[in-house]
Amino acid sequence: WYRLVTAGFIHFGFFHIVMNMILLFQLGQLLERALGGVRFSLIYVASLLAGSFGVLLVDPSYIGGGASGAVFGLMAGAAIGLHRRGVNVFNTGIGTTLLLNLVLTFTISGISIGGHIGGAIGGAVCGWLMLAPSWKPVAKWVTFVTPVAVIVVSVVGAMIAVG
């Protein structure tokens, strides 16, 4: 069970961790300001666990690691939040970065498609409600419950996937 979490904290080489940490730093500056520390942590954990669940769905025997599932979730959440506010994500660095990373995910062997897509889906679900525009607000409690629900679905789904 612990591998669902610990996989997000191990990396395979210096370049791997540096790229994840650069993106995490940039996305953290953007999202933590908008969400606050607690909700930022919740969307990060929800994305990480959704990425781990994605790995189990796509290839249960895959041994992977890295924060990229969580980082993909943050990118997707930010992109959804910007889109809902009427911002063209391709006028920001987020749209291009997300698209480029998706292309790399599907073209370079050894990259976890399940981890990246799972994290992106989890982050997008969270971003839809957590980063709702001010003219379509959601109750504040929803911004806490949404990532918790993604966490629960991911953990229960992972338990079912492994039998």
Side-chain angles (χ1 to χ4, degrees):
W1 65 268
Y2 60 89
R3 289 177 62 188
L4 294 174
V5 176
T6 58
F9 294 95
I10 61 170
H11 287 80
F12 301 112
F14 183 73
F15 183 73
H16 187 209
I17 194 166
V18 167
M19 294 311 298
N20 278 325
M21 293 306 104
I22 288 171
L23 281 170
L24 178 57
F25 178 75
Q26 292 173 335
L27 291 163
Q29 287 186 314
L30 172 73
L31 292 172
E32 190 173 7
R33 191 174 301 125
L35 296 170
V38 172
R39 290 183 297 162
F40 174 76
S41 297
L42 285 170
I43 192 173
Y44 183 86
V45 172
S47 298
L48 184 147
L49 290 171
S52 292
F53 179 36
V55 169
L56 289 171
L57 287 178
V58 172
D59 186 2
S61 64
Y62 183 79
I63 305 274
S68 52
V71 171
F72 260 83
L74 296 177
M75 278 192 291
I80 292 292
L82 288 169
H83 176 73
R84 289 199 67 205
R85 294 171 185 201
V87 175
N88 180 344
V89 295
F90 291 101
N91 289 339
T92 71
I94 290 176
T96 304
T97 303
L98 182 58
L99 183 62
L100 175 63
N101 278 283
L102 284 169
V103 168
L104 294 174
T105 297
F106 286 99
T107 58
I108 297 176
S109 65
I111 293 180
S112 176
I113 293 170
H116 288 183
I117 300 304
I121 290 170
V125 168
C126 291
W128 183 263
L129 294 167
M130 295 176 80
L131 296 165
S134 59
W135 61 89
K136 289 185 179 180
V138 297
K140 187 159 184 157
W141 65 268
V142 172
T143 66
F144 288 94
V145 170
T146 302
V148 171
V150 170
I151 289 168
V152 169
V153 167
S154 298
V155 170
V156 170
M159 290 169 45
I160 291 168
V162 296

